[in-house]
Amino acid sequence: MLKEKEAKKIGIRACMDQLGYEYCKGHSDNAISAWGLDENGKLNCFVGINESPFKQKDLSEVTELILSAKDEWEYYASCDVDLKTGTVSMIESRVPVKTRAQV
């Protein structure tokens, strides 16, 4: 049985590998990672990357909570890590063309 911290490392690394590990490291200023435990004993992991810098939104006129969606990321990968077995299941991804060519 994996601890949540161990599963997070496995899942985030799997997402980065899907996108291209070096690509992720090269764009770390414009990237995000997230994770959360679901009710089925799996840790959901997500990595999103944009090639261009984030544009700061004018928050003075915001009247409601804004949550990021995967559609706001040029490239992303998500996966589940089973805490019992450590098995990684990729859910979905949109990878850079460079990464696709290298595979």
Side-chain angles (χ1 to χ4, degrees), residues 64-76:
E64 58 188 42
L65 178 63
I66 300 172
L67 299 174
S68 292
K70 69 180 182 192
D71 294 334
E72 293 185 22
W73 299 100
E74 290 178 76
Y75 306 110
Y76 62 87

PDB file of all heavy atoms in Angstrom, residues 64-76:
ATOM      1  N   GLU A  64     -16.757  36.373  -9.008  1.00  0.00           N
ATOM      2  CA  GLU A  64     -17.000  34.977  -8.680  1.00  0.00           C
ATOM      3  C   GLU A  64     -15.692  34.198  -8.724  1.00  0.00           C
ATOM      4  O   GLU A  64     -14.704  34.648  -9.316  1.00  0.00           O
ATOM      5  CB  GLU A  64     -18.020  34.361  -9.634  1.00  0.00           C
ATOM      6  CG  GLU A  64     -17.614  34.444 -11.084  1.00  0.00           C
ATOM      7  CD  GLU A  64     -18.722  34.004 -12.034  1.00  0.00           C
ATOM      8  OE1 GLU A  64     -19.880  34.371 -11.802  1.00  0.00           O
ATOM      9  OE2 GLU A  64     -18.410  33.292 -12.991  1.00  0.00           O
ATOM     10  N   LEU A  65     -15.697  33.044  -8.096  1.00  0.00           N
ATOM     11  CA  LEU A  65     -14.518  32.188  -8.050  1.00  0.00           C
ATOM     12  C   LEU A  65     -14.216  31.657  -9.441  1.00  0.00           C
ATOM     13  O   LEU A  65     -15.107  31.184 -10.142  1.00  0.00           O
ATOM     14  CB  LEU A  65     -14.762  31.022  -7.085  1.00  0.00           C
ATOM     15  CG  LEU A  65     -13.649  29.996  -6.948  1.00  0.00           C
ATOM     16  CD1 LEU A  65     -12.403  30.658  -6.370  1.00  0.00           C
ATOM     17  CD2 LEU A  65     -14.104  28.852  -6.064  1.00  0.00           C
ATOM     18  N   ILE A  66     -12.940  31.739  -9.859  1.00  0.00           N
ATOM     19  CA  ILE A  66     -12.513  31.233 -11.160  1.00  0.00           C
ATOM     20  C   ILE A  66     -11.569  30.064 -10.923  1.00  0.00           C
ATOM     21  O   ILE A  66     -10.556  30.214 -10.240  1.00  0.00           O
ATOM     22  CB  ILE A  66     -11.779  32.315 -11.976  1.00  0.00           C
ATOM     23  CG1 ILE A  66     -12.699  33.499 -12.219  1.00  0.00           C
ATOM     24  CG2 ILE A  66     -11.268  31.733 -13.287  1.00  0.00           C
ATOM     25  CD1 ILE A  66     -11.997  34.690 -12.842  1.00  0.00           C
ATOM     26  N   LEU A  67     -11.917  28.915 -11.456  1.00  0.00           N
ATOM     27  CA  LEU A  67     -11.060  27.741 -11.372  1.00  0.00           C
ATOM     28  C   LEU A  67     -10.514  27.428 -12.754  1.00  0.00           C
ATOM     29  O   LEU A  67     -11.238  27.536 -13.753  1.00  0.00           O
ATOM     30  CB  LEU A  67     -11.841  26.536 -10.836  1.00  0.00           C
ATOM     31  CG  LEU A  67     -12.422  26.715  -9.432  1.00  0.00           C
ATOM     32  CD1 LEU A  67     -13.290  25.516  -9.080  1.00  0.00           C
ATOM     33  CD2 LEU A  67     -11.324  26.899  -8.415  1.00  0.00           C
ATOM     34  N   SER A  68      -9.250  27.023 -12.825  1.00  0.00           N
ATOM     35  CA  SER A  68      -8.658  26.676 -14.116  1.00  0.00           C
ATOM     36  C   SER A  68      -9.237  25.369 -14.620  1.00  0.00           C
ATOM     37  O   SER A  68      -9.527  24.467 -13.852  1.00  0.00           O
ATOM     38  CB  SER A  68      -7.139  26.542 -13.981  1.00  0.00           C
ATOM     39  OG  SER A  68      -6.572  27.786 -13.730  1.00  0.00           O
ATOM     40  N   ALA A  69      -9.360  25.257 -15.917  1.00  0.00           N
ATOM     41  CA  ALA A  69      -9.803  24.031 -16.563  1.00  0.00           C
ATOM     42  C   ALA A  69      -8.687  23.539 -17.466  1.00  0.00           C
ATOM     43  O   ALA A  69      -7.811  24.305 -17.867  1.00  0.00           O
ATOM     44  CB  ALA A  69     -11.059  24.297 -17.387  1.00  0.00           C
ATOM     45  N   LYS A  70      -8.718  22.252 -17.796  1.00  0.00           N
ATOM     46  CA  LYS A  70      -7.671  21.705 -18.653  1.00  0.00           C
ATOM     47  C   LYS A  70      -7.622  22.418 -19.996  1.00  0.00           C
ATOM     48  O   LYS A  70      -6.582  22.482 -20.616  1.00  0.00           O
ATOM     49  CB  LYS A  70      -7.862  20.209 -18.838  1.00  0.00           C
ATOM     50  CG  LYS A  70      -9.060  19.841 -19.658  1.00  0.00           C
ATOM     51  CD  LYS A  70      -9.194  18.360 -19.799  1.00  0.00           C
ATOM     52  CE  LYS A  70     -10.398  18.063 -20.677  1.00  0.00           C
ATOM     53  NZ  LYS A  70     -10.763  16.688 -20.653  1.00  0.00           N
ATOM     54  N   ASP A  71      -8.742  22.969 -20.435  1.00  0.00           N
ATOM     55  CA  ASP A  71      -8.770  23.668 -21.722  1.00  0.00           C
ATOM     56  C   ASP A  71      -7.925  24.933 -21.718  1.00  0.00           C
ATOM     57  O   ASP A  71      -7.622  25.470 -22.769  1.00  0.00           O
ATOM     58  CB  ASP A  71     -10.212  24.007 -22.101  1.00  0.00           C
ATOM     59  CG  ASP A  71     -11.032  22.758 -22.366  1.00  0.00           C
ATOM     60  OD1 ASP A  71     -10.439  21.725 -22.730  1.00  0.00           O
ATOM     61  OD2 ASP A  71     -12.258  22.814 -22.189  1.00  0.00           O
ATOM     62  N   GLU A  72      -7.567  25.434 -20.557  1.00  0.00           N
ATOM     63  CA  GLU A  72      -6.717  26.614 -20.473  1.00  0.00           C
ATOM     64  C   GLU A  72      -5.242  26.269 -20.628  1.00  0.00           C
ATOM     65  O   GLU A  72      -4.404  27.152 -20.678  1.00  0.00           O
ATOM     66  CB  GLU A  72      -6.949  27.340 -19.153  1.00  0.00           C
ATOM     67  CG  GLU A  72      -8.328  27.952 -19.068  1.00  0.00           C
ATOM     68  CD  GLU A  72      -8.519  28.773 -17.816  1.00  0.00           C
ATOM     69  OE1 GLU A  72      -7.521  29.218 -17.212  1.00  0.00           O
ATOM     70  OE2 GLU A  72      -9.674  28.971 -17.432  1.00  0.00           O
ATOM     71  N   TRP A  73      -4.907  24.991 -20.689  1.00  0.00           N
ATOM     72  CA  TRP A  73      -3.516  24.557 -20.810  1.00  0.00           C
ATOM     73  C   TRP A  73      -3.250  24.098 -22.225  1.00  0.00           C
ATOM     74  O   TRP A  73      -3.999  23.301 -22.781  1.00  0.00           O
ATOM     75  CB  TRP A  73      -3.231  23.426 -19.819  1.00  0.00           C
ATOM     76  CG  TRP A  73      -3.433  23.896 -18.418  1.00  0.00           C
ATOM     77  CD1 TRP A  73      -4.526  23.686 -17.633  1.00  0.00           C
ATOM     78  CD2 TRP A  73      -2.541  24.703 -17.662  1.00  0.00           C
ATOM     79  NE1 TRP A  73      -4.355  24.315 -16.429  1.00  0.00           N
ATOM     80  CE2 TRP A  73      -3.138  24.945 -16.416  1.00  0.00           C
ATOM     81  CE3 TRP A  73      -1.286  25.242 -17.922  1.00  0.00           C
ATOM     82  CZ2 TRP A  73      -2.532  25.707 -15.430  1.00  0.00           C
ATOM     83  CZ3 TRP A  73      -0.676  25.999 -16.936  1.00  0.00           C
ATOM     84  CH2 TRP A  73      -1.294  26.222 -15.719  1.00  0.00           C
ATOM     85  N   GLU A  74      -2.168  24.605 -22.821  1.00  0.00           N
ATOM     86  CA  GLU A  74      -1.804  24.160 -24.170  1.00  0.00           C
ATOM     87  C   GLU A  74      -1.545  22.662 -24.180  1.00  0.00           C
ATOM     88  O   GLU A  74      -1.940  21.964 -25.098  1.00  0.00           O
ATOM     89  CB  GLU A  74      -0.559  24.907 -24.649  1.00  0.00           C
ATOM     90  CG  GLU A  74      -0.805  26.370 -24.939  1.00  0.00           C
ATOM     91  CD  GLU A  74       0.466  27.073 -25.359  1.00  0.00           C
ATOM     92  OE1 GLU A  74       0.883  26.873 -26.522  1.00  0.00           O
ATOM     93  OE2 GLU A  74       1.027  27.813 -24.536  1.00  0.00           O
ATOM     94  N   TYR A  75      -0.842  22.194 -23.163  1.00  0.00           N
ATOM     95  CA  TYR A  75      -0.489  20.782 -23.062  1.00  0.00           C
ATOM     96  C   TYR A  75      -0.788  20.309 -21.647  1.00  0.00           C
ATOM     97  O   TYR A  75      -0.590  21.051 -20.679  1.00  0.00           O
ATOM     98  CB  TYR A  75       0.986  20.573 -23.389  1.00  0.00           C
ATOM     99  CG  TYR A  75       1.345  21.167 -24.733  1.00  0.00           C
ATOM    100  CD1 TYR A  75       2.147  22.287 -24.833  1.00  0.00           C
ATOM    101  CD2 TYR A  75       0.825  20.619 -25.898  1.00  0.00           C
ATOM    102  CE1 TYR A  75       2.437  22.849 -26.060  1.00  0.00           C
ATOM    103  CE2 TYR A  75       1.110  21.176 -27.134  1.00  0.00           C
ATOM    104  CZ  TYR A  75       1.917  22.286 -27.212  1.00  0.00           C
ATOM    105  OH  TYR A  75       2.190  22.840 -28.429  1.00  0.00           O
ATOM    106  N   TYR A  76      -1.258  19.082 -21.523  1.00  0.00           N
ATOM    107  CA  TYR A  76      -1.572  18.554 -20.203  1.00  0.00           C
ATOM    108  C   TYR A  76      -1.564  17.026 -20.235  1.00  0.00           C
ATOM    109  O   TYR A  76      -1.651  16.405 -21.305  1.00  0.00           O
ATOM    110  CB  TYR A  76      -2.940  19.055 -19.720  1.00  0.00           C
ATOM    111  CG  TYR A  76      -4.089  18.624 -20.598  1.00  0.00           C
ATOM    112  CD1 TYR A  76      -4.716  17.404 -20.406  1.00  0.00           C
ATOM    113  CD2 TYR A  76      -4.527  19.431 -21.637  1.00  0.00           C
ATOM    114  CE1 TYR A  76      -5.752  16.991 -21.226  1.00  0.00           C
ATOM    115  CE2 TYR A  76      -5.560  19.035 -22.451  1.00  0.00           C
ATOM    116  CZ  TYR A  76      -6.168  17.804 -22.244  1.00  0.00           C
ATOM    117  OH  TYR A  76      -7.184  17.403 -23.061  1.00  0.00           O
TER     118      TYR A  76
END
